[in-house]
Each structure stands twice: as structure tokens, then as C-alpha cells.
């Protein structure tokens, strides 16, 4: 069975990370879906401080030599100008390089909100359709990505989603795509979530 990971870093938007994590974790309860879902960091750390001050304890570190089948990259603080978050991660380069290595090793990579800027820095959006939070659409358009007006954009081995709560729609869509509508509906119903069907699928998806 497949496994999945959500990549954490200081300044991450907590709902970007925890919303999809909850969806994927619930999918592990199905016999045909995921075997394990973990919250991981690029380097060893005891905790991560999210954008609103929430402390999140990761399960471990991401290893590009043994990457997850599905890797989700949240956003956070891209447009705020404050310390930490996606902008700092992009500037330091460690997180984008690790994401690129995982993708090269076979991970399907999905980004929520401004996590798309990590994917752009990693070179994963070149010539691909993508979306991000409304506050960062002009920045995404300045990269080699093709901005698409949709809540979730599926380009096969790379997916992106709009702002914050769109991460839940992305995770539900990924569950549906990989393990069927029934599994996704069971998770959605348990969450009592009003799901969006605004999903763009490219020809390669």
C-alpha cells in the first residue's frame, strides 16, 4: 500500500498542513487506500511553529532516498513579509531541493496555497498548469507555470490547490483519483465537509 507525507517548516499555515493530513489519515482506515501518513520536516527538529503560533510536533524527517508515494507541501506567509514561512523556505533552497529530489525519486507532489511557490522553485511547474492562493497568483504567473483558474489543478504527478481550505479539496480529490469515489465520499461525510468540484485535469493527468 502507498504512504503519504505532509512537509512542515516554521511559518507553515497550519490549516494548509493539518486539513489535508486529516483527510489522508482518515483514508488509511480504508483497506484499499493509504497505509501511513506522516508529518515530516526537511531537517530534524522537535517542533515547528506554524504561522499563527501553533506548535506542531513532526513524526520525523523526509528522506529523498526513501520518499513517500505522495508528498504534500503546504504554504504560509508568502505575502505577509514576516519571518519564516514559504518565502524563507524558497530563499534558503533546502526545502525546494528536497521536494525536487523526492519527485525525481517517484513521489507524486501536491502543493496547497503558496506551497506552489516551493514547487516552482523546485522546477516542478515548468510548462505545467498550476494555481495558488489569490495573493500569490501574480508571483506564480511570473514563473514558468501556466496559471489556471480552478480550486484544484491536477497535472498527473504534480497537483496544486488554491488558498488554505482548498487543501482539503485537493486531498479529497487525490483520494478519489487514487482509491475511488467511495473512499473519498466516506472521508468527506465523516468530516461533514461541503466539497468543491472545481477541479482542472490536464491531458496528462
Amino acid at each position: 500500500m502507498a504512504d503519504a507525507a505532509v512537509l512542515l517548516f516554521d511559518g507553515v499555515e497550519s490549516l494548509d498542513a493539518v486539513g489535508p493530513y486529516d483527510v489522508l489519515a482518515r483514508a488509511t482506515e480504508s483497506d484499499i487506500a493509504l497505509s501511513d501518513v506522516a508529518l515530516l520536516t526537511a531537517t530534524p527538529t522537535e517542533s515547528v511553529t506554524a504561522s499563527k503560533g501553533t506548535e506542531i510536533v513532526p513524526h520525523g524527517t523526509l528522506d529523498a532516498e526513501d520518499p513517500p508515494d505522495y508528498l504534500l507541501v503546504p504554504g504560509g506567509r508568502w505575502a505577509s513579509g514576516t519571518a519564516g514561512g514559504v518565502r524563507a523556505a524558497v530563499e534558503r533552497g533546502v526545502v525546494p531541493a528536497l521536494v525536487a529530489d523526492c519527485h525525481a525519486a517517484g513521489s507524486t507532489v501536491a502543493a496547497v496555497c503558496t506551497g506552489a511557490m516551493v514547487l516552482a522553485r523546485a522546477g516542478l511547474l515548468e510548462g505545467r498548469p498550476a494555481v495558488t492562493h489569490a495573493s500569490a497568483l501574480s508571483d506564480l504567473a511570473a514563473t514558468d507555470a501556466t496559471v489556471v483558474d480552478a480550486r484544484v489543478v491536477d497535472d498527473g504527478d504534480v497537483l496544486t490547490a488554491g488558498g488554505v481550505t482548498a487543501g482539503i479539496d485537493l486531498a479529497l480529490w487525490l483520494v478519489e483519483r487514487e482509491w475511488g469515489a467511495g473512499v473519498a465520499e466516506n472521508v468527506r461525510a465523516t468530516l461533514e465537509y461541503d466539497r468543491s468540484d472545481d477541479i482542472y485535469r490536464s491531458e496528462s493527468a
Side-chain angles (χ1 to χ4, degrees):
M1 293 178 72
D3 63 342
V6 177
L7 185 58
L8 301 179
F9 45 85
D10 281 327
V12 66
E13 179 64 43
S14 54
L15 187 54
D16 279 9
V18 176
Y21 172 80
D22 193 273
V23 169
L24 296 173
R26 291 176 190 274
T28 65
E29 299 170 5
S30 167
D31 291 336
I32 62 172
L34 293 164
S35 61
D36 182 64
V37 182
L39 297 167
L40 304 180
T41 53
T43 56
T45 184
E46 292 186 359
S47 67
V48 168
T49 303
S51 60
K52 307 300 187 300
T54 303
E55 293 290 324
I56 304 175
V57 178
H59 299 120
T61 55
L62 181 62
D63 182 0
E65 295 185 1
D66 184 25
D69 296 291
Y70 303 93
L71 175 61
L72 191 137
V73 183
R77 288 186 178 173
W78 175 263
S80 68
T82 56
V86 171
R87 192 175 292 277
V90 167
E91 291 174 353
R92 292 182 186 128
V94 174
V95 169
L98 183 58
V99 171
D101 288 345
C102 287
H103 181 260
S107 294
T108 292
V109 178
V112 180
C113 195
T114 55
M117 302 310 297
V118 172
L119 272 57
R121 177 70 172 80
L124 301 187
L125 298 184
E126 293 180 6
R128 290 181 182 261
V131 70
T132 187
H133 190 279
S135 66
L137 284 173
S138 59
D139 293 319
L140 183 61
T143 72
D144 293 325
T146 300
V147 176
V148 174
D149 182 15
R151 189 164 175 81
V152 175
V153 175
D154 181 351
D155 194 39
D157 59 346
V158 174
L159 301 89
T160 51
V164 194
T165 57
I168 299 174
D169 291 299
L170 183 152
L172 285 168
W173 166 248
L174 185 61
V175 170
E176 177 176 332
R177 190 187 82 173
E178 299 298 301
W179 300 287
V183 178
E185 174 56 22
N186 286 341
V187 174
R188 186 214 65 77
T190 302
L191 293 173
E192 296 190 7
Y193 181 69
D194 187 10
R195 186 180 175 188
S196 172
D197 61 359
D198 183 16
I199 298 168
Y200 171 88
R201 297 193 74 181
S202 72
E203 294 181 358
S204 61

